[in-house]
Each structure stands twice: as structure tokens, then as C-alpha cells.
Amino acid sequence: MRHWRPGIVQDVPPPGLIDLGPGYPGPDLLPVGLLGDAYHRALEEYGPAALAYGHNTGAMPLREALAERAAATDRYPCGPDHVLLTAGTSQALHLISCLLGRPGDVVITDQYSYDLGRRIFTDCGLRVHAVAMDDLGMDPVALREALRDEHAAGRRVAFAYVNPTFHNPTGIVVPLARRTELLEVTREYDLMVIEDDAYAELALEGGGPVIPSMAALADYRGVLRLGTFAKTLAPGLRLGWLLGAPALVASLGEHGMLVSGGSLNHTTSLAVATVLRGGEYDRHLVWLRAELRKRRDALAGPLRAFSGERIGCRVPGGGFFLWLEPCGATEVREEAHAAAAEAAGVRLAHGARFGTGDRPRLRLAYSFNPPAVLTEAAHRLVEAWTV
Amino acid sequence: MRHWRPGIVQDVPPPGLIDLGPGYPGPDLLPVGLLGDAYHRALEEYGPAALAYGHNTGAMPLREALAERAAATDRYPCGPDHVLLTAGTSQALHLISCLLGRPGDVVITDQYSYDLGRRIFTDCGLRVHAVAMDDLGMDPVALREALRDEHAAGRRVAFAYVNPTFHNPTGIVVPLARRTELLEVTREYDLMVIEDDAYAELALEGGGPVIPSMAALADYRGVLRLGTFAKTLAPGLRLGWLLGAPALVASLGEHGMLVSGGSLNHTTSLAVATVLRGGEYDRHLVWLRAELRKRRDALAGPLRAFSGERIGCRVPGGGFFLWLEPCGATEVREEAHAAAAEAAGVRLAHGARFGTGDRPRLRLAYSFNPPAVLTEAAHRLVEAWTV
């Protein structure tokens, strides 16, 4: 952990503090050996072709492998022409915001949504309109009202940003019927949907959700689906992908940035392609899901035993986060809970970072710390919140 | 060369055709072994820290190494706070266009300038205003007129894009006095200058240009200087950097895209940092310059023997390109020259791709093909153009 310090990697918390704030994979979850072998193999196998500019939409071996995976999980005939490689979800959101949005345009998001995604939108001059959600995800009636209001006000809506599978921060999986209802509304308003599926491969129970992606449900018409290796392999690779209708993907690939420089992250794309092709990625995912399940349970166990009294705790079926709802004394604000937690040596994320709700909320990431540390964090929280 | 085909790498020309069009480094110039070792070393040395999100402005070891190089060549006290890592020049130009420009704004460029850079600007909704140049670079009088005209027309000028060292496509190195004159004008109009220095480390004669960068001449006030490893190591890495005033660099690092995902290309940054630190980069550059010199001379030799008759041929002191001026019969258009070349089995780039001049121009890249092939291309051209 010698190099695990600011300037080389992300910021680290002060000693003694357990940080459940950011949604980082823990250092012990990052497959150093696997990826070292992958770079070695890609350079050996492809030689200088692994170091050249690369095709605008990305290296074919990885696009083929990703299309096959999407086709298998969605039972939808995806091909490599549906795939554009990206430098991860953040870069994809930036490119989409610049291409689909003009300063002053509106982006529709869930009531609670990925805070730094919102920051990318606003940094591109877009205005966020958060739409009410219930336990099944975004409310279609509220979505229709929002679109009607924005149109009535003469504002252009650039796209809707959703995260229907293991939603950050709530952990919700939007069920099939709700996905269909939402797509009916977006089709009615001819609204592009950006489906962030960063956590889709991180189901922690059974076979995971068998619900098709919104992209597949829409026949890829009017939906762009984003994937990333940041949560499943390693964020530092800065590698992700975008699935969309072939004509749209081809036109994105004609952007000057990609025509000039070639696909973002060509060398790394070929390295990761060897990991997918060899079956190592699937084996790694099986291991990673088991590790994340242990972490989730280590944190959620003590909190659930405590819940019912003062904290509502939803245990998610996948992803990186617990979403807590302090209940009972509604006058107790999330700032007070977070401050009590911090005083007891646990840092967590205020709900307000992700949106505004009727009640206080807290997000706890179980992805970074090992199980024993998470159990210790849970005990500290129970003690801090038992007044 | 098994994988050197469309879909995996850039497009390849039909068999028999020698392609002098794109500014690609040749496959035999790409250091496969060196970079394989670099990834291995970075993962061994930094472990999981090489796979984490990374600092917003980029991994400290590479920022330190790049600041040291800039400080040494410019004799200017650069530190790591002057450096933001990028995914290469194209990505940097895209980010800058989105941040500094608004659709409808104007970008000032040289009369001839990097065609795909221009495409990035126009794909971001910016309008290109090309300013006349002479043998010393952009004409300061014409620049002042252009800025006066744009302001008079009520248009906002987002920035000026220049490429003063081994200019693409002309090969010009803008001399010190001209750099100073241009900076006087941009300062007068409070205009940001984007200095593309992609070829700055590829001087092919002696110690190369000892002229300071425009950024250093301006004390980094109002100038952002772009560097890339695409021409000196490998384009597929998609790794570059930006040098600017620390306050501006810090504010760029606060963009949602970088706060969310961390620096673009963290893992690759640490791999390349080991190459710089170990001295391998400098040794590679010495070798690369010698190889490029052989290529330049192999192409330029036969053309210069032929020149004076129908073709003016300027032999550049560095970079990737020969810039030819068909002379004599001015009614002969560059299309006719290019068509005759293509019929003789040589593809080259029309001057019109890079801008509009008073006379026909042609750009020939000597970077991709080995010397014997370039000599063959030159002979074909001489024959094709000797009517």
C-alpha cells in the first residue's frame, strides 16, 4: 500500500477513519496479475498493431466480445457495429453531453442520481431536472409531467439519464413493467435515453437480474447503453463502452476527436479483449461478486439487526452501495447522522449529494474496505446512532 | 503484420499503393518490447495503485517527469502543478473546445493547419477563421486584423490554435521574434493560445530548436501547451499532456469528467512514467530521430534532385512531413498532381485538406514507410510529374 496515497491514486482518508464515501473498488479487488498478463499477451499477440491509432469505434476483438456478452444477457442480436469503445462512463457522458446537448438544455435524471454524473452535465452547461422516483425507479407520470413542463417552458431536453440496474445510490433494479412504461413516455417525446449500466454485471444473488436492458427493450432505438470496466476490472484502465443503434454508433465514431486520434484507449482495449476471450473475465466476476457479497453482508448484517428502530436499511441485490433511511425522528437531519458517524470514525455520503428527497438518506459504499473493517464500521455506526 | 488490417488498426492502403497520406508512425517505429516492459514494471511497482482511479490531474510520477523535461528544454521553472495528463492531443482539443468555446464561437488557426484538429473544432460547433501565414508562421498583422474583424462582427473568439514547432503540414519552426510578436497580439486581445507541440521532440538536425515554447515565453499566461506520446512512443497508448498556469490546470482538473473518473489513462500514465524515469524514453528518441532522418532523406533526396523544375520542396528540420509546392505551370492544380501520383502508385494529401492558399500544395508523410519504400515513392513521383 506504499503508493496508495494522494497524487498517485485517489485521496485517502485520515488514519483511523473508515471511509464508506466513494464508490471505489478496494485495492485487494483489483486484479494486478491478471491485467499484467493481459498487457503482455496483447503486445505479444498483436505486436505494433496494439500500439497504432486503432479504429475510430474501437478495436474489433473487444467490440466483438462485448457485443457477444450483450447479445447473450439481453437475448438481443447485438453485433460489433452496436459497440463504440470509450474511456469509461465519465468520458462517455462528457462526449454525449457535448454532442446531444447545447448549453441551457435540460437533462432528465432520477430524483436521486450519480452526483458526479450530474456534475459532468452541469459542467457542460446543461440543467438537471430531477424526476420523482418510488421503490420501482423513476415515476413515469412524473416523467411525463416534467417533459410537458419543460416543453411548455420552451426548453430543449437533451436526454434522460437513468441507471436502472443496481441504481446508484439506491440499489434499485427497475422492473420490466416500469422500464416499458418509461420507454413509452420517452418515445412519445422522442427523447434519447442514456442507460448507465455500470453495475449491471455485479448481481450478488443467484443469476442476477434477468431483466433485459432498456436498450434491448427499445430495440436500441433512442437508447444508448453505457458499460464500464471501472467497477468490474479496474478504474485506472479508463476503459468502457457504449451500445447503440449501428447508425448512431457509426456517426459518433465520425467525431473529429475519434477520427483524429483513433479509439480512446486502443492498447488497453486489446489487453482487455484477451481477458474476455480467455474466460478470465467471467471467472474474475464470479470471484468479485462473492467478495462483494461478503462485504455487503458484513456491513448490512449489524445495521439490519439495528434497523427498525432508527434506520431503514435496504439490502441491495447488487452493486456497491447500501442506502439508509434514518426513520422515526424525522426531524433528525442527515447532516446530524453523518456528523455522528464521522465522530465515531466512519465517513459516509449524505443523501443530499445525490438529490433531494422528503426524508434524510445516507449512502454507504461496501466496495472499498474488507469485510472485517466493514463490520467494525457497522458497529461504530450502531453505537453512534444509538443515543 | 498479421493484425495490421482495418478494424484492429487504422485503414491500410490497397496492395501496391505507397500511402504517404496520414501522419502515422510506422509499425517498425513502435517500441513493443519497451512498452510491454513498462506495463509490467508499473503493475509490479505500484500494484493496485496502478489500477485505481488516479488523481484528477494525473499520476504524480508522470507529471513530475514531464514538468522536469519542460523545465529543462524551456529553461522555465515548471512543476507538476503545471501538468494535466490527457488522452492525447485530440482529446485535449475536444475538452478545450467544450470548455473555452460555445457553439458559434470562432477559433483562429494558421492558414494551413492540422485538418482533423479543425474537424474537432467544427464538430464542437466552433467556426474556424484561418489567418494568413508566411515562411515564418502566422502573420501577426493578419492576426490582428482577423481579431479586429471578428470583434467588430460581434463574434466571440474562443482561442487561437497554433503549432509553432515543426508545423503540420508545412514543417515551419516559428522563430523567436515571430512568437513574441504573435503573443503581443494575443495578449492585447486577451486571447487564449493553444500551442500544439506534438512534434517538438522530433528535431532531426543537431540539438533541435532551442527556441522556447510560446507557453514559456508568455510565462504560461494565456497559453496552454499540448504534448503527446502519439508521435514519439505510440498512438495506441492514447496518452498526452497539457502544460498551463497552475491555477488554470487545477480548474481543468475540477471538470466533472475528471473528478468522476480520475485522470484519463491512469494505468498507462504510470507505465510511461517508468519509461521516462529510466532514461529509456530519451534513448528511444535518439533512435527514433535517426530513423525519421533516414526516412525524410530517402523521400526528399530524389525529390530535391528533381525540384526547381516543377516542384518546390522544403526539407523540414523535424516532424513527419514534406510540404511540396508544385511551381512553374501554376494552372496545374494540386488535384492533378495528386491524381498523377495515385496513378503511379503513391497516395499523398492535397494541400486543400489543411487550408486554402494562393498556390497548389501537397503534403507527404515520411513517418510510416521504411526508407527503401520512400525512395521508391519518390522515384514514382518524379516519373509521374515529369511529363
Side-chain angles (χ1 to χ4, degrees), chain A residues 113-169:
Chain A
S113 66
Y114 177 48
D115 57 328
L116 296 173
R118 279 212 317 270
R119 180 152 162 190
I120 296 170
F121 305 145
T122 54
D123 279 355
C124 292
L126 308 178
R127 299 169 55 251
V128 170
H129 184 144
V131 170
M133 61 196 299
D134 58 23
D135 284 355
L136 305 180
M138 188 184 282
D139 176 355
V141 175
L143 172 61
R144 185 175 272 112
E145 276 169 18
L147 291 172
R148 202 176 45 212
D149 291 352
E150 293 294 352
H151 280 87
R155 283 188 287 262
R156 188 171 169 272
V157 182
F159 55 87
Y161 169 73
V162 296
N163 177 208
T165 303
F166 309 128
H167 176 260
N168 175 10

Side-chain angles (χ1 to χ4, degrees), chain A residues 51 90 114 123 236 238 256 260 262, chain B residues 51 90 114 123 236 238 256 260 262:
Chain A
L51 297 175
S90 313
Y114 177 48
D123 279 355
R238 290 309 294 263
S260 167
Chain B
L51 296 174
S90 313
Y114 176 47
D123 280 355
R238 290 307 296 260
S260 169

Side-chain angles (χ1 to χ4, degrees), chain A residues 245-270:
Chain A
L248 180 55
V249 165
S251 90
L252 292 173
E254 287 302 307
H255 191 288
M257 180 178 69
L258 299 173
V259 176
S260 167
S263 148
L264 287 166
N265 250 341
H266 177 66
T267 306
T268 297
S269 302
L270 287 171

Side-chain angles (χ1 to χ4, degrees), chain B residues 44-101:
Chain B
E44 194 171 73
E45 180 174 339
Y46 296 101
L51 296 174
Y53 272 100
H55 196 266
N56 299 354
T57 52
M60 186 57 91
L62 185 55
R63 283 164 52 219
E64 280 170 349
L66 289 168
E68 267 175 43
R69 293 183 78 81
T73 53
D74 269 353
R75 299 203 188 100
Y76 187 88
C78 265
D81 291 350
H82 285 78
V83 185
L84 177 92
L85 302 186
T86 69
T89 300
S90 313
Q91 186 270 325
L93 289 178
H94 179 248
L95 183 64
I96 288 167
S97 297
C98 295
L99 285 176
L100 301 186

Side-chain angles (χ1 to χ4, degrees), chain B residues 225-244:
Chain B
R225 183 181 176 212
L226 307 184
T228 178
F229 291 107
K231 309 298 182 186
T232 55
L233 274 179
L237 299 176
R238 290 307 296 260
L239 187 64
W241 65 94
L242 170 161
L243 290 159

Side-chain angles (χ1 to χ4, degrees), chain B:
Chain B
M1 300 288 281
R2 190 161 40 108
H3 295 290
W4 205 267
R5 56 184 167 84
I8 293 189
V9 301
Q10 56 259 11
D11 292 337
V12 288
L17 190 72
I18 302 174
D19 195 354
L20 308 182
Y24 298 154
D28 50 338
L29 300 181
L30 300 172
V32 177
L34 181 72
L35 291 168
D37 291 348
Y39 278 108
H40 177 79
R41 218 158 37 200
L43 286 165
E44 194 171 73
E45 180 174 339
Y46 296 101
L51 296 174
Y53 272 100
H55 196 266
N56 299 354
T57 52
M60 186 57 91
L62 185 55
R63 283 164 52 219
E64 280 170 349
L66 289 168
E68 267 175 43
R69 293 183 78 81
T73 53
D74 269 353
R75 299 203 188 100
Y76 187 88
C78 265
D81 291 350
H82 285 78
V83 185
L84 177 92
L85 302 186
T86 69
T89 300
S90 313
Q91 186 270 325
L93 289 178
H94 179 248
L95 183 64
I96 288 167
S97 297
C98 295
L99 285 176
L100 301 186
R102 291 190 299 250
D105 283 357
V106 171
V107 178
I108 298 287
T109 69
D110 286 308
Q111 178 181 354
Y112 292 105
S113 66
Y114 176 47
D115 57 328
L116 297 172
R118 279 213 317 271
R119 180 151 163 191
I120 295 170
F121 305 146
T122 55
D123 280 355
C124 291
L126 308 178
R127 301 169 54 250
V128 170
H129 185 144
V131 169
M133 60 196 299
D134 57 24
D135 284 355
L136 305 180
M138 187 184 282
D139 176 356
V141 175
L143 172 62
R144 184 175 274 113
E145 274 169 19
L147 291 172
R148 201 176 48 210
D149 291 351
E150 293 294 352
H151 280 88
R155 285 189 285 261
R156 188 171 167 273
V157 182
F159 54 87
Y161 169 73
V162 295
N163 177 208
T165 303
F166 308 128
H167 176 261
N168 176 8
T170 69
I172 285 174
V173 177
V174 178
L176 180 61
R178 177 63 64 89
R179 292 180 187 219
T180 306
E181 285 166 12
L182 290 169
L183 286 169
E184 275 167 20
V185 181
T186 58
R187 250 195 306 264
E188 187 184 319
Y189 280 84
D190 199 19
L191 179 66
M192 178 69 77
V193 174
I194 309 302
E195 179 181 23
D196 182 348
D197 251 351
Y199 301 95
E201 295 201 286
L202 294 177
L204 305 185
E205 306 295 348
V210 288
I211 305 172
S213 68
M214 289 178 69
L217 287 174
D219 265 332
Y220 280 88
R221 282 195 287 267
V223 183
L224 284 172
R225 183 181 176 212
L226 307 184
T228 178
F229 291 107
K231 309 298 182 186
T232 55
L233 274 179
L237 299 176
R238 290 307 296 260
L239 187 64
W241 65 94
L242 170 161
L243 290 159
L248 180 55
V249 165
S251 90
L252 292 173
E254 287 303 306
H255 191 286
M257 179 177 70
L258 298 174
V259 176
S260 169
S263 148
L264 287 165
N265 251 342
H266 177 65
T267 306
T268 297
S269 301
L270 287 171
V272 170
T274 73
V275 175
L276 266 71
R277 190 191 52 205
E280 285 120 320
Y281 183 59
D282 281 318
R283 285 192 291 277
H284 173 70
L285 280 177
V286 169
W287 172 83
L288 179 64
R289 290 184 194 115
E291 291 301 312
L292 286 169
R293 190 161 50 237
K294 283 182 218 160
R295 288 169 190 227
R296 180 198 63 183
D297 295 343
L299 181 65
L303 287 172
R304 289 192 82 188
F306 171 70
S307 84
E309 290 176 54
R310 305 177 66 109
I311 298 278
C313 170
R314 188 204 312 261
V315 178
F320 275 14
F321 307 109
L322 281 191
W323 185 237
L324 301 189
E325 182 181 338
C327 50
T330 49
E331 73 277 11
V332 178
R333 289 148 46 86
E334 59 194 37
E335 288 86 346
H337 275 80
E342 181 110 8
V346 180
R347 185 169 290 167
L348 37 72
H350 297 197
R353 251 181 59 183
F354 308 97
T356 308
D358 50 342
R359 319 179 68 124
R361 296 286 199 289
L362 302 163
R363 193 194 75 174
L364 282 59
Y366 50 79
S367 51
F368 190 75
N369 292 286
V373 176
L374 291 164
T375 300
E376 165 64 19
H379 287 304
R380 289 187 192 178
L381 289 174
V382 168
E383 200 172 299
W385 291 338
T386 308
V387 186

Side-chain angles (χ1 to χ4, degrees), chain A:
Chain A
M1 302 285 282
R2 190 163 38 110
H3 295 291
W4 205 266
R5 56 183 166 85
I8 292 188
V9 301
Q10 56 259 12
D11 291 337
V12 289
L17 190 72
I18 302 173
D19 195 354
L20 308 182
Y24 298 153
D28 50 339
L29 300 181
L30 299 173
V32 176
L34 181 71
L35 290 168
D37 290 348
Y39 278 108
H40 176 77
R41 217 159 37 203
L43 286 166
E44 195 171 71
E45 181 173 338
Y46 296 100
L51 297 175
Y53 272 100
H55 195 266
N56 300 354
T57 54
M60 186 57 91
L62 185 56
R63 283 163 54 217
E64 280 171 348
L66 289 168
E68 267 176 42
R69 294 184 76 82
T73 53
D74 268 353
R75 298 202 189 98
Y76 187 89
C78 265
D81 290 350
H82 285 79
V83 186
L84 176 92
L85 302 186
T86 70
T89 299
S90 313
Q91 185 270 326
L93 290 177
H94 179 247
L95 184 63
I96 289 167
S97 297
C98 295
L99 285 176
L100 301 186
R102 292 190 298 250
D105 284 357
V106 172
V107 177
I108 298 286
T109 69
D110 286 309
Q111 177 180 356
Y112 293 105
S113 66
Y114 177 48
D115 57 328
L116 296 173
R118 279 212 317 270
R119 180 152 162 190
I120 296 170
F121 305 145
T122 54
D123 279 355
C124 292
L126 308 178
R127 299 169 55 251
V128 170
H129 184 144
V131 170
M133 61 196 299
D134 58 23
D135 284 355
L136 305 180
M138 188 184 282
D139 176 355
V141 175
L143 172 61
R144 185 175 272 112
E145 276 169 18
L147 291 172
R148 202 176 45 212
D149 291 352
E150 293 294 352
H151 280 87
R155 283 188 287 262
R156 188 171 169 272
V157 182
F159 55 87
Y161 169 73
V162 296
N163 177 208
T165 303
F166 309 128
H167 176 260
N168 175 10
T170 69
I172 285 174
V173 177
V174 177
L176 180 60
R178 177 63 65 90
R179 291 180 188 221
T180 307
E181 286 166 10
L182 290 168
L183 285 170
E184 276 166 19
V185 181
T186 58
R187 251 194 304 263
E188 187 183 317
Y189 280 84
D190 199 18
L191 179 65
M192 178 67 78
V193 175
I194 308 302
E195 180 180 23
D196 182 347
D197 252 351
Y199 301 96
E201 295 201 287
L202 294 177
L204 305 184
E205 307 293 349
V210 287
I211 305 171
S213 69
M214 291 178 70
L217 288 173
D219 265 333
Y220 279 89
R221 282 194 286 268
V223 183
L224 284 173
R225 183 180 177 214
L226 307 184
T228 177
F229 291 108
K231 309 298 182 186
T232 55
L233 274 178
L237 299 177
R238 290 309 294 263
L239 186 65
W241 65 94
L242 170 160
L243 291 158
L248 180 55
V249 165
S251 90
L252 292 173
E254 287 302 307
H255 191 288
M257 180 178 69
L258 299 173
V259 176
S260 167
S263 148
L264 287 166
N265 250 341
H266 177 66
T267 306
T268 297
S269 302
L270 287 171
V272 170
T274 73
V275 175
L276 266 73
R277 190 190 54 203
E280 286 121 320
Y281 184 59
D282 281 318
R283 286 193 289 278
H284 173 70
L285 280 177
V286 168
W287 172 82
L288 179 64
R289 290 184 193 116
E291 291 301 312
L292 286 169
R293 190 159 52 237
K294 283 182 218 161
R295 287 169 191 227
R296 179 198 63 182
D297 295 344
L299 181 65
L303 287 172
R304 288 191 83 187
F306 171 69
S307 86
E309 289 178 53
R310 304 177 67 107
I311 298 277
C313 170
R314 189 206 313 259
V315 178
F320 275 14
F321 307 109
L322 282 189
W323 184 238
L324 301 189
E325 182 182 338
C327 50
T330 49
E331 74 279 10
V332 178
R333 290 147 47 85
E334 58 193 39
E335 288 84 347
H337 275 80
E342 181 110 6
V346 181
R347 184 168 292 167
L348 38 72
H350 297 197
R353 251 180 57 183
F354 308 98
T356 308
D358 50 342
R359 318 180 68 123
R361 296 286 198 291
L362 302 163
R363 193 193 75 174
L364 283 59
Y366 49 78
S367 52
F368 190 76
N369 292 286
V373 176
L374 291 164
T375 299
E376 167 64 18
H379 288 305
R380 290 187 192 177
L381 289 175
V382 168
E383 200 173 300
W385 291 337
T386 309
V387 187

